[in-house]
Amino acid sequence: MQTVKTSLTSLLGIRVPVVSAAMAYASSAKLAAEVTRGGGFGFFHAAGTTAAQLREELRLARNSFTDIGNGPLPIGCGFIGWQLDAKETESKELVDIVVEGGVQAIWLSFGNDLLRWIQYIRASSAYAHSGTKPLLFVQVSSVEEALQAVNDWKVDVLIVQGNESGGHGAAAAPSTITFLSEVLAALPAGNTTPVLVSGGIANGTQVAAYLTAGAAGAVLGTRFLLTPESTYSPAHKAVLKAAKSSQTVRTLAFDDARGTNSWPEGIDGRGVRNKIVDDVLAGVDLATVRERFKKAVQEGDPEYLIVWSGQGISLIDEIRPAKEVVEELHADTVRALQRSQQLLA
């Protein structure tokens, strides 16, 4: 099987231009490791973890790779900007633990002042222990943010997130293909920063399409929720397996239900529509909505669970190991790229 070469695969030393998204409360270090083992590059997320838990995740991940010794750990860790800001002292400790753990990359998103965290990571004294400076992946929601990240912040990898994406994103973001095109047109001529696309991607045919449009790689989130390694519960996965793209909706109702309303202005979330959305739209008292949500979490009631999902969900109908998913994505991407060559006379 042929490999695909892009600026991303060259930067990371991988053979598949596929990245698993850093999904809060859903992607574990084990998931990230299996994605990397499949040939792509995996991220896990630090949200909700204590310092001890984070150290253990990193220890287990490193032990799962028998050939890296004390070298860079070939996975990445994600942080949400506004959560870092909310608990600065604890956040700095977590960031230092990740840097000390030698991860190959750190993903930053959704902050009003991401630059301060970029500067903190770059200046971290934890490098002295790991000897590894993580690459900085920054997710953006507008062309203006993209230009700032590349030109001013000098990020290592840029992630453009389209409206089709599951979980949180910009309510006014354009479609993934339009956003990618806008960003590529706006970046300086000769730009060498890899640009990744995120939003509604579920198979290799889509990955190939974005590669031919100029992306250096694709980020998939929802596809990796339906893996054994995802920390999504069986109830969450059952909802995803049965869902169709037409059932997903962008809304603030899910954050209203669980009380997470500190996202930057203009950010909402895409998930599978259920009674949470119906109740909020019907004007049900917020306290009642939150009580129903807490009860649903305890009982696994699918009608009141928060199940994030991108619009590519209609293309996914089975739970498969993450490593196999990446291998299938690679094979399908190569076949699609080979088919595209037949279009040339």
Side-chain angles (χ1 to χ4, degrees):
M1 176 69 67
Q2 289 181 283
T3 58
V4 179
K5 184 178 180 180
T6 72
S7 56
L8 177 75
T9 61
S10 297
L11 178 67
L12 294 174
I14 59 178
R15 64 184 184 87
V16 185
V18 165
V19 172
S20 64
M23 298 176 287
Y25 309 104
S27 48
S28 64
K30 182 178 180 180
L31 170 58
E34 288 304 304
V35 170
T36 296
R37 225 181 304 280
F41 190 81
F43 276 90
F44 73 106
H45 209 286
T49 61
T50 64
Q53 290 169 336
L54 187 54
R55 285 194 178 93
E56 181 64 8
E57 281 274 273
L58 291 167
R59 184 189 70 81
L60 292 174
R62 181 167 290 278
N63 288 345
S64 73
F65 292 98
T66 59
D67 57 347
I68 63 171
N70 293 322
L73 180 59
I75 62 173
C77 181
F79 293 95
I80 294 172
W82 69 262
Q83 292 181 345
L84 292 175
D85 293 337
K87 297 181 178 180
E88 183 172 340
T89 301
E90 294 93 329
S91 296
K92 286 181 176 179
E93 181 183 13
L94 295 180
V95 169
D96 286 342
I97 288 170
V98 169
V99 174
E100 185 178 294
V103 298
Q104 197 172 353
I106 289 178
W107 174 318
L108 296 174
S109 62
F110 304 122
N112 291 317
D113 189 11
L114 288 183
L115 178 58
R116 66 189 290 256
W117 290 103
I118 290 173
Q119 293 171 332
Y120 181 82
I121 292 167
R122 286 175 171 161
S124 175
S125 60
Y127 293 135
H129 182 274
S130 68
T132 300
K133 285 193 173 185
L135 299 168
L136 287 172
F137 285 54
V138 171
Q139 178 181 311
V140 298
S141 302
S142 70
V143 172
E144 291 74 23
E145 289 178 1
L147 291 174
Q148 183 178 48
V150 172
N151 297 334
D152 301 336
W153 302 347
K154 309 298 183 184
V155 301
D156 298 294
V157 177
L158 183 74
I159 305 160
V160 297
Q161 184 193 42
N163 193 270
E164 303 96 317
S165 62
H168 288 88
S175 69
T176 305
I177 187 63
T178 298
F179 193 14
L180 172 66
S181 301
E182 290 176 347
V183 169
L184 292 177
L187 288 173
N191 168 65
T192 59
T193 303
V195 178
L196 310 187
V197 286
S198 173
I201 306 169
N203 61 36
T205 301
Q206 292 171 296
V207 174
Y210 285 114
L211 292 178
T212 59
V219 175
L220 285 75
T222 305
R223 182 63 195 91
F224 289 106
L225 292 177
L226 282 173
T227 62
E229 297 87 0
S230 162
T231 58
Y232 251 24
S233 71
H236 285 84
K237 291 177 182 179
V239 171
L240 281 176
K241 282 182 67 177
K244 300 299 180 185
S245 61
S246 59
Q247 295 173 263
T248 69
V249 61
R250 298 207 72 92
T251 178
L252 289 172
F254 300 125
D255 286 300
D256 289 338
R258 68 178 186 180
T260 50
N261 300 99
S262 299
W263 296 90
E265 185 178 354
I267 301 299
D268 62 8
R270 182 182 294 280
V272 179
R273 180 167 181 158
N274 58 15
K275 289 183 179 178
I276 293 177
V277 178
D278 295 341
D279 281 355
V280 170
L281 291 178
V284 174
D285 178 75
L286 188 55
T288 301
V289 171
R290 290 181 175 174
E291 187 60 35
R292 290 174 179 175
F293 169 66
K294 290 179 181 178
K295 183 178 179 182
V297 171
Q298 295 171 350
E299 299 177 356
D301 178 6
E303 290 297 332
Y304 232 82
L305 287 179
I306 295 174
V307 183
W308 304 113
S309 173
Q311 287 190 315
I313 189 60
S314 292
L315 300 170
I316 313 166
D317 60 5
E318 61 179 347
I319 296 174
R320 294 184 62 189
K323 181 174 180 290
E324 291 184 11
V325 171
V326 177
E327 291 169 344
E328 180 182 63
L329 287 167
H330 174 231
D332 289 349
T333 299
V334 169
R335 281 193 289 267
L337 291 172
Q338 290 171 336
R339 287 196 303 271
S340 69
Q341 293 176 352
Q342 299 172 14
L343 297 173
L344 297 174

